[in-house]
Amino acid sequence: MLAWKIGGDQGEGIDSTGDVLARVANHMGYYVYGYKHFSSRIKGGHTNYKVRIATTRVEATTRHTDILVALNQETIHRNFHELENGLLLADSAFKPVLPESASAHLLTLPLTEMAKSIGSVMMRNMVAVGASAALLQMPVAPFIDYVTAKFEKKGEAIVAANRKAVEIGYQRIVDEYAALLTFKLEEPVPGDRLVISGSDAIALGAIAGGCRLLCGYPITPATEIMESLAKWFPLVGGAVVQMEDELGSITAVIGAGFAGARAMTSTSGPGISLMQEAIGLASVTEIPAVIVDTQRGGPSTGMPTKQEQSDLLALLNGGHGDTLRVVLTPGSVEESFEDAAEAFNLAEQFQTPVLIATDLSLSLWQQSVERSRLKASAQPIRHSATFSQEDLLALGESAFQRYRLTDNGVSPRSLPGEINGQYLATGVEHGPSGKVSEDPVNRIQMMDKRLSKLEGIHQMRDGFKYEGPMEPVLILVGIGSTVGILREAATHLPAKVGVAWFRTLSPFPTERVQSVLAPARHILVVEQNALGQIRQLMTIHGIADSRFDSYLKYDGVPFLPEEVVDRATPLLNTLEVH
Amino acid sequence: MATLQDFRTNENAWWCPGCGDFGVLAAMQKALVAVHANPATTAIVAGIGCSGKIGNYINSYNLHVTHGRTLPAALGIKLANRDLMVLVAGGDGDGYAIGMGHFMHSLRRNVNITYVVMDNHVYGLTKGQTSPTSEEGFKTKTTPQGSIERPIHPLMLAVSAGGTFVAQGFSSWQPQLASLIQKGIEHPGFSLINVISPCVTYNKVNTYDWYKKNLQNLDDDPTYQPTDRSRALTRLHESDEMVTGLIYQEASTPYEALIPGFRETPLVHQDLTVDETTWNKILSTLE
């Protein structure tokens, strides 16, 4: 496994350069994971893109870098400490200086000049790609093939220039630095994989789950879901509506749900705050709606381009009044796909808003995913609890009771267009027919109906997953992007360590959590927020006890597997002693 | 064919005796009959306030939403099932205060829905506070010395914001109001019918008599042509919006007809399974 990184100023094409490397490596049969460091501005400011290239699945970034490509001195200053006996390739144009404490070989190439020699300074990053291929001792041909295909539509001249750029970058390293080429990847593991992000996975899952309408408002880091669907929906007859705000977004989704369509909105923390009142409306009117929260640093504008998992309690309890919501928490890109599709089934089946809590790291960073894990046909659409036109005709006029009390709390609904199915869906408390009612007995019946119906979800899915030994000494508990980090950390820890993660945060899978955690002697809850929100939930549900410990991080930077190992090791040592 | 009776529910409206909203309800029901609407394929979205109760009294599919959010809900309904006739009703507070953002953007978005605003220049259900259409100097419990803000001019805003159908009616002038709502429903795009609907309890200034004295009926002016945006604005400006009738209309293609790849068959009637070819086409964009 090798880690390669390129750094420079924002707006200099760092992202697309990293993408080329990741996609070519993926195509060759490697598993890749790409991690981007960026800030909330368009031009200027340091940015870097790190790609891990491996022969097994990767779901996390790492402390270490083997090869660093620096397009400016700031990149060296900010990143050289990651290089341990690594290679630093720098553009000689900025006269790179390697700090004395660095443990790296500095290689310089006149990247800018070489780019100019083939026509444009714009080619510099492609020269760096070619050079990187040589430094990684990867064959150059797949890179040439990739740029040829990528720029095909832009004409022959562009294709030729890009090919040339890759070639000269590659050749100069081979010619000048052959002696330093010590890094070599293992043999690739050919397979059919795509490099996708969690946002892509959610958009794909939504389509597979029958969603045909997204009403949303752009917000970092959730916008990619909207953008992907804007690209794909025309192929399946769906629509993306860019609304004037998040209040409108969620309410349009509720309108569509009332009419019987599968609709969603995607947002981040600030948008969730604005949507809270309407989510309550969906709960009380029992209208399906799917809401994705791609969490970022909060509160307020907080750190919009930084990782955090601090919306969890707001997703559960952010609205006024007594409501229960379904909150799904996928722990990988593949689970993002599955949960996005399933969210629409659950929303319809339980007639309720379903929230998906993902986070910036899980949503934005791209990784290799088996194509076989992204099958629409593997996510069947389940329609449920609807009165057919025949049922309603048999029932007669004015007899349909939209909120009839039933054993499981779900009342079969009618859909606009159906004769005899007319009713009032109102956010005001109502009786079985839908008519407004402030009767105390009715109030209790309706409240209990809404609060109890969600328990059925536990029969539909495993809300708390576990991977590890039968008798673990330590279980690492996480959520969202942290799960992949914990999984990698566990491979560096003794075999007695297991990893558990929530798939359903609400309704809380109490029994399942209890049984999974029962054998562990110690439990470390690893979460990216300051208040320990997951642990708080475990406390409320009577699960957290003296075996529990928290590892919290709220600096905006994702956990590294190494940090988790460092945190868990002394814990394990203590346990061994006693 | 549906009759007035078909659009009634068995609930008695609880508005104050003499409230203008009775007239709006009656005109909406008449318009629905006139356009041969069917209760089963009619959806009505209502807002919060006295006006928001209107959904309780019309037999149709009714969605009563949060304060100010009627228009987005109607958009969602229409895009989900474009075969439905979608009407929205709400007050001046709901539409022009808390919901103003949606009002402006609905005008420029032009989804085929009909928006009936029941405008009484006062907050009724919260028992008498100033509204965005209240005149300067209007005394209420929240403005005991009189409102010091200028009123919203919803019609001029609508015409300026790109509205394709803008009209104003008066709850007492039933034939004209029913006809305006009918035309609004028939208009293939967003239609605004601002309806002067006097509050007999909390507005002792803008009364029925006051309106009857001050309103000009555009139907009585054969020279007025509702097809010129700038002339419409001039007329509204000169009359301080004290006109009834069709103020502006233009040929319109609704939003839902312009969405790329959006189908004539309503979303709710489509097969949601994605065939292998389409799925692979989608995945290929990620390669």
Side-chain angles (χ1 to χ4, degrees):
Chain A
M1 178 172 339
L2 291 176
W4 167 95
K5 182 188 257 192
I6 183 166
D9 272 345
Q10 283 192 169
E12 287 190 329
I14 301 297
D15 276 15
S16 43
T17 312
D19 269 355
V20 174
L21 191 85
R23 279 166 205 283
V24 172
N26 177 74
H27 192 71
M28 287 175 67
Y30 292 106
Y31 288 85
V32 300
Y33 180 86
Y35 172 78
K36 296 174 198 172
H37 168 93
F38 70 118
S39 35
S40 196
R41 56 192 277 189
I42 304 303
K43 299 271 183 193
H46 176 70
T47 181
N48 65 60
Y49 192 154
K50 183 167 182 168
V51 182
R52 295 180 79 192
I53 308 169
T55 51
T56 53
R57 215 169 103 86
V58 208
E59 302 175 86
T61 188
T62 175
R63 185 177 284 160
H64 179 76
T65 296
D66 297 301
I67 294 163
L68 174 66
V69 180
L71 299 179
N72 58 20
Q73 186 62 37
E74 188 185 1
T75 300
I76 299 178
H77 277 304
R78 283 175 177 260
N79 298 285
F80 78 89
H81 59 275
E82 292 185 5
L83 293 163
E84 212 171 292
N85 299 314
L87 299 178
L88 167 59
L89 170 66
D91 189 350
S92 53
F94 67 87
K95 300 190 176 59
V97 179
L98 193 61
E100 272 179 29
S101 60
S103 146
H105 286 288
L106 174 65
L107 295 69
T108 56
L109 280 187
L111 298 174
T112 305
E113 219 172 285
M114 290 163 77
K116 281 183 189 159
S117 77
I118 49 169
S120 164
V121 70
M122 301 277 286
M123 293 294 146
R124 181 184 58 176
N125 293 11
M126 223 36 102
V127 177
V129 166
S132 297
L135 293 173
L136 289 158
Q137 297 205 60
M138 292 166 83
V140 74
F143 288 88
I144 300 285
D145 292 346
Y146 180 82
V147 297
T148 306
K150 184 179 167 74
F151 296 107
E152 198 186 3
K153 282 187 190 145
K154 296 196 172 175
E156 257 177 56
I158 302 278
V159 170
N162 277 283
R163 290 176 63 126
K164 184 82 183 160
V166 172
E167 277 164 9
I168 61 173
Y170 187 87
Q171 204 52 49
R172 279 289 280 270
I173 293 291
V174 172
D175 291 348
E176 294 180 25
Y177 295 108
L180 287 175
L181 300 184
T182 49
F183 292 117
K184 187 146 177 63
L185 288 161
E186 295 158 64
E187 282 303 304
V189 190
D192 193 359
R193 300 176 201 113
L194 292 167
V195 182
I196 71 165
S197 68
S199 293
D200 294 330
I202 284 180
L204 290 171
I207 293 175
C211 175
R212 293 294 179 270
L213 179 65
L214 178 142
C215 299
Y217 188 79
I219 185 169
T220 303
T223 318
E224 281 77 1
I225 297 169
M226 191 176 176
E227 290 173 346
S228 292
L229 286 176
K231 190 167 60 186
W232 295 331
F233 264 162
L235 298 169
V236 293
V240 164
V241 184
Q242 183 170 329
M243 297 296 295
E244 49 275 18
D245 56 35
E246 286 89 346
L247 307 161
S249 304
I250 178 66
T251 315
V253 168
I254 293 169
F258 169 75
R262 293 185 167 208
M264 72 182 290
T265 185
S266 53
T267 188
S268 188
I272 287 294
S273 295
L274 290 174
M275 292 181 186
Q276 293 285 6
E277 184 194 15
I279 296 172
L281 172 72
S283 293
V284 78
T285 51
E286 306 193 47
I287 292 175
V290 172
I291 301 117
V292 176
D293 177 12
T294 310
Q295 298 171 88
R296 68 186 209 189
S300 188
T301 306
M303 297 207 285
T305 62
K306 302 295 174 225
Q307 160 68 5
E308 208 163 270
Q309 301 170 325
S310 53
D311 296 351
L312 303 171
L313 296 179
L315 292 173
L316 268 69
N317 305 316
H320 66 273
D322 293 320
T323 53
L324 272 183
R325 293 147 173 199
V326 179
V327 180
L328 310 182
T329 50
S332 66
V333 171
E334 294 86 344
E335 289 180 2
S336 299
F337 173 71
E338 292 164 11
D339 286 354
E342 182 63 3
F344 293 91
N345 286 330
L346 296 175
E348 194 168 303
Q349 185 171 354
F350 292 91
Q351 302 181 0
T352 197
V354 173
L355 294 88
I356 299 174
T358 178
D359 57 49
L360 183 142
S361 293
L362 183 53
S363 295
L364 295 191
W365 314 146
Q366 305 196 84
Q367 66 181 69
S368 301
V369 173
E370 306 290 345
R371 195 188 273 257
S372 61
R373 291 292 304 273
L374 301 170
K375 277 202 161 94
S377 53
Q379 307 297 328
I381 290 169
R382 303 192 307 272
H383 287 294
S384 42
T386 312
F387 265 85
S388 69
Q389 183 60 80
E390 290 70 37
D391 301 336
L392 290 163
L393 287 173
L395 202 60
E397 228 174 291
S398 308
F400 171 65
Q401 295 215 314
R402 167 65 184 90
Y403 301 102
R404 187 169 60 87
L405 297 171
T406 60
D407 290 342
N408 63 5
V410 178
S411 321
R413 60 181 189 146
S414 62
L415 294 180
E418 292 181 322
I419 298 162
N420 292 350
Q422 298 94 298
Y423 68 98
L424 168 68
T426 173
V428 183
E429 189 58 277
H430 41 262
S433 72
K435 279 183 196 160
V436 170
S437 168
E438 291 185 344
D439 175 63
V441 175
N442 174 74
R443 165 68 169 181
I444 291 166
Q445 283 174 336
M446 284 294 151
M447 185 61 84
D448 291 350
K449 164 196 198 308
R450 293 189 293 263
L451 293 179
S452 66
K453 69 178 179 178
L454 300 187
E455 278 304 305
I457 284 185
H458 294 313
Q459 274 85 60
M460 311 297 305
R461 56 190 274 121
D462 180 1
F464 194 66
K465 305 282 263 193
Y466 175 73
E467 265 178 29
M470 293 286 281
E471 289 178 6
V473 170
L474 169 68
I475 293 181
L476 304 169
V477 176
I479 208 162
S481 62
T482 310
V483 178
I485 295 160
L486 298 184
R487 243 192 233 123
E488 180 164 339
T491 64
H492 300 291
L493 288 165
K496 290 165 282 187
V497 178
V499 175
W501 67 99
F502 284 93
R503 286 291 292 275
T504 311
L505 199 59
S506 175
F508 197 83
T510 311
E511 281 173 32
R512 173 75 180 146
V513 178
Q514 267 164 345
S515 77
V516 166
L517 299 183
R521 287 173 59 195
H522 209 100
I523 292 141
L524 183 63
V525 186
V526 185
E527 49 183 321
Q528 204 142 14
N529 58 61
L531 290 174
Q533 299 192 8
I534 301 172
R535 184 156 167 205
Q536 280 190 34
L537 283 170
M538 292 173 111
T539 304
I540 289 168
H541 292 279
I543 287 160
D545 53 27
S546 59
R547 300 173 299 159
F548 274 66
D549 225 322
S550 279
Y551 185 16
L552 305 177
K553 197 168 191 277
Y554 45 95
D555 58 0
V557 185
F559 285 106
L560 293 170
E562 295 93 326
E563 291 173 332
V564 177
V565 170
D566 290 349
R567 179 72 172 77
T569 303
L571 216 54
L572 284 164
N573 293 342
T574 323
L575 291 170
E576 293 301 308
V577 172
H578 296 294
Chain B
M1 202 179 295
T3 62
L4 275 178
Q5 191 54 39
D6 293 322
F7 284 102
R8 291 181 182 138
T9 66
N10 56 10
E11 273 195 80
N12 291 322
W14 60 245
W15 292 311
C16 305
C19 176
D21 291 352
F22 287 103
V24 184
L25 172 63
M28 277 179 76
Q29 288 166 327
K30 286 174 199 164
L32 286 166
V33 171
V35 298
H36 308 302
N38 175 348
T41 53
T42 303
I44 295 180
V45 183
I48 297 295
C50 295
S51 55
K53 306 289 173 187
I54 199 162
N56 302 25
Y57 314 130
I58 302 180
N59 178 28
S60 65
Y61 281 90
N62 290 298
L63 180 57
H64 185 208
V65 296
T66 46
H67 196 20
R69 316 292 161 218
T70 52
L71 293 171
L75 173 146
I77 295 173
K78 190 69 185 182
L79 294 191
N81 187 347
R82 54 196 294 187
D83 284 353
L84 298 176
M85 190 174 284
V86 182
L87 281 78
V88 180
D92 42 312
D94 195 82
Y96 303 148
I98 191 166
M100 182 49 117
H102 307 308
F103 175 56
M104 287 284 104
H105 291 278
S106 298
L107 285 159
R108 70 181 189 92
R109 198 172 280 128
N110 200 38
V111 177
N112 186 9
I113 54 182
T114 302
Y115 186 29
V116 178
V117 180
M118 298 142 90
D119 182 0
N120 58 11
H121 293 20
V122 72
Y123 279 63
L125 197 55
T126 47
K127 301 190 190 297
Q129 297 81 26
T130 188
S131 117
T133 49
S134 299
E135 287 168 24
E136 280 181 84
F138 188 65
K139 287 186 181 172
T140 66
K141 290 174 193 157
T142 52
T143 53
Q145 321 247 1
S147 171
I148 53 172
E149 294 174 22
R150 295 179 180 193
I152 291 276
H153 289 94
L155 301 171
M156 282 194 275
L157 283 174
V159 173
S160 308
T164 55
F165 183 103
V166 179
Q168 179 157 269
F170 178 30
S171 65
S172 291
W173 294 348
Q174 279 290 302
Q176 183 189 40
L177 178 55
S179 155
L180 289 172
I181 297 173
Q182 178 188 342
K183 283 181 192 149
I185 294 171
E186 287 163 350
H187 176 72
F190 183 82
S191 49
L192 167 73
I193 301 106
N194 192 69
V195 186
I196 288 158
S197 174
C199 173
V200 293
T201 306
Y202 296 108
N203 192 335
K204 306 293 186 191
V205 178
N206 311 108
T207 61
Y208 285 99
D209 286 344
W210 185 87
Y211 280 115
K212 282 173 187 162
K213 204 172 87 188
N214 290 292
L215 279 172
Q216 307 163 20
N217 189 338
L218 291 175
D219 293 349
D220 297 338
D221 179 356
T223 65
Y224 185 75
Q225 295 294 317
T227 50
D228 184 319
R229 203 177 282 274
S230 63
R231 283 185 61 190
L233 282 170
T234 306
R235 186 65 180 249
L236 289 168
H237 180 66
E238 285 170 359
S239 65
D240 200 25
E241 300 201 342
M242 291 301 285
V243 290
T244 64
L246 179 57
I247 293 155
Y248 181 72
Q249 183 175 17
E250 67 179 40
S252 144
T253 305
Y255 180 85
E256 58 273 24
L258 298 171
I259 302 170
F262 204 62
R263 297 168 186 167
E264 296 256 342
T265 308
L267 284 185
V268 291
H269 297 145
Q270 287 178 24
D271 178 6
L272 298 178
T273 50
V274 185
D275 64 76
E276 207 64 21
T277 315
T278 308
W279 188 249
N280 287 331
K281 200 169 169 185
I282 290 170
L283 290 187
S284 72
T285 63
L286 290 163
E287 279 168 0

